[in-house]
């Protein structure tokens, strides 16, 4: 599949078909990851260590398109094949609209082509989002969100995360987002486990592949601000959106303030 043949589609819940959900669930089940060594003990007898994390269309609908939520799907397609997608839900926090990516999945063959960034840029197109967020164990998802919504990891404002993460999570209509527990020294925790900016989501996926990807990121000279990732946890990003021109290019100007 060539990235030059890919089309980006942005869809509201009223036009998302069952076939689209099946396609997304199938890609997730083949590409997301495997269960970690403690998944069966911590979660369910069906979460067998080393086995692929599976997703059904029905569960995907429940998690990412819950009734009464302002949710959306952005998908990248080439012909009739799904190359990647993102689900997101919007809600209000302190009188401003925030956009939270509830699921992001890319075909492994296309992960080096910045497709995730393109999908996330399409997600924000035409919207009045003041803040954006994502929970993910994979550094590439974190980097894509920072490129699409902010000014990249080089200029991340960790005070935004520190000051607003808990309030945004508490306001969320998405259960797993609302109930997660913030972890790390950024949030006042003391300890020597190396965690800085993450959240305990109780999702015991294996971390070997994402941590190998993180080492490759660090080898390129990228300064990783989020610390270590403990089992059952995911990195968390909250970013105030940089201005975007009509053509979709990010504007470098941004208020020097940690307010959303």
């Amino acid at each position: 599949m060539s990235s030059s043949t890919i089309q980006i589609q942005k869809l509201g819940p009223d036009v998302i078909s069952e076939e689209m959900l099946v396609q997304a669930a199938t890609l997730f089940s083949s590409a997301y990851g495997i269960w970690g060594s403690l998944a069966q003990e911590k979660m369910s007898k069906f979460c067998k260590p080393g086995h692929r994390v599976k997703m059904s269309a029905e569960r995907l609908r429940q998690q990412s398109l819950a009734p009464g939520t302002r949710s959306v799907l952005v998908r990248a397609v080439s012909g009739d094949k799904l190359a990647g997608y993102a689900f997101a839900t919007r809600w209000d926090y302190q009188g401003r609209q925030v956009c939270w990516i509830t699921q992001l999945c890319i075909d492994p063959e296309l992960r080096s082509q910045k497709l995730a960034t393109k999908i996330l840029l399409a997600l924000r197109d035409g919207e009045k989002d003041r803040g954006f967020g994502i929970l993910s164990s994979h550094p590439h998802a974190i980097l894509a969100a920072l490129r699409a919504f902010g000014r990249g990891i080089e200029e991340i404002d960790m005070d935004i995360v520190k000051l607003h993460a808990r309030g945004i999570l508490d306001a969320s209509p998405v259960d797993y987002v609302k109930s997660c527990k913030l972890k790390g020294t950024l949030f006042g925790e003391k300890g020597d486990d190396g965690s800085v900016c993450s959240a305990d989501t109780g999702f015991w996926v294996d971390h070997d592949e994402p941590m190998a990807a993180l080492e490759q990121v660090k080898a390129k000279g990228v300064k990783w601000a989020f610390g270590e990732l403990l089992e059952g946890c995911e990195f968390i990003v909250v970013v105030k959106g940089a201005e975007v021109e009509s053509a979709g290019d990010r504007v470098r100007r941004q208020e020097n303030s940690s307010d959303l």
Side-chain angles (χ1 to χ4, degrees), residues 19-29 55 60 73 75 82 85 87 103 105:
E19 181 182 358
M20 292 176 185
L21 290 175
V22 169
Q23 282 185 312
T26 300
L27 179 58
F28 180 97
S29 299
M55 177 67 66
L60 188 56
L73 166 65
R75 60 190 218 132
L82 183 65
Y85 67 88
F87 282 96
Q103 196 171 113
C105 188

Side-chain angles (χ1 to χ4, degrees), residues 18-78:
E18 186 68 18
E19 181 182 358
M20 292 176 185
L21 290 175
V22 169
Q23 282 185 312
T26 300
L27 179 58
F28 180 97
S29 299
S30 65
Y32 184 80
I34 61 175
W35 289 117
S37 60
L38 296 176
Q40 197 166 29
E41 173 187 339
K42 298 290 187 178
M43 297 181 68
S44 163
K45 65 180 181 180
F46 301 107
C47 303
K48 297 181 179 180
H51 287 223
R52 280 280 173 193
V53 179
K54 298 292 186 179
M55 177 67 66
S56 68
E58 180 58 30
R59 187 179 177 195
L60 188 56
R61 183 183 293 278
Q62 292 173 355
Q63 289 187 348
S64 299
L65 295 172
T69 61
R70 290 143 55 193
S71 299
V72 65
L73 166 65
V74 176
R75 60 190 218 132
V77 295
S78 178

Side-chain angles (χ1 to χ4, degrees), residues 79 178 231:
K178 189 182 188 73
E231 296 298 320

Side-chain angles (χ1 to χ4, degrees), residues 84-104:
Y85 67 88
F87 282 96
T89 298
R90 291 180 165 90
W91 62 85
D92 293 332
Y93 165 70
Q94 294 186 350
R96 299 178 185 271
Q97 180 171 280
V98 296
C99 176
W100 198 274
I101 297 87
T102 55
Q103 196 171 113
L104 175 64

Side-chain angles (χ1 to χ4, degrees), residues 3 15 124 161 212 237:
S3 61
V15 294
R124 67 175 297 173
V161 192
V237 164

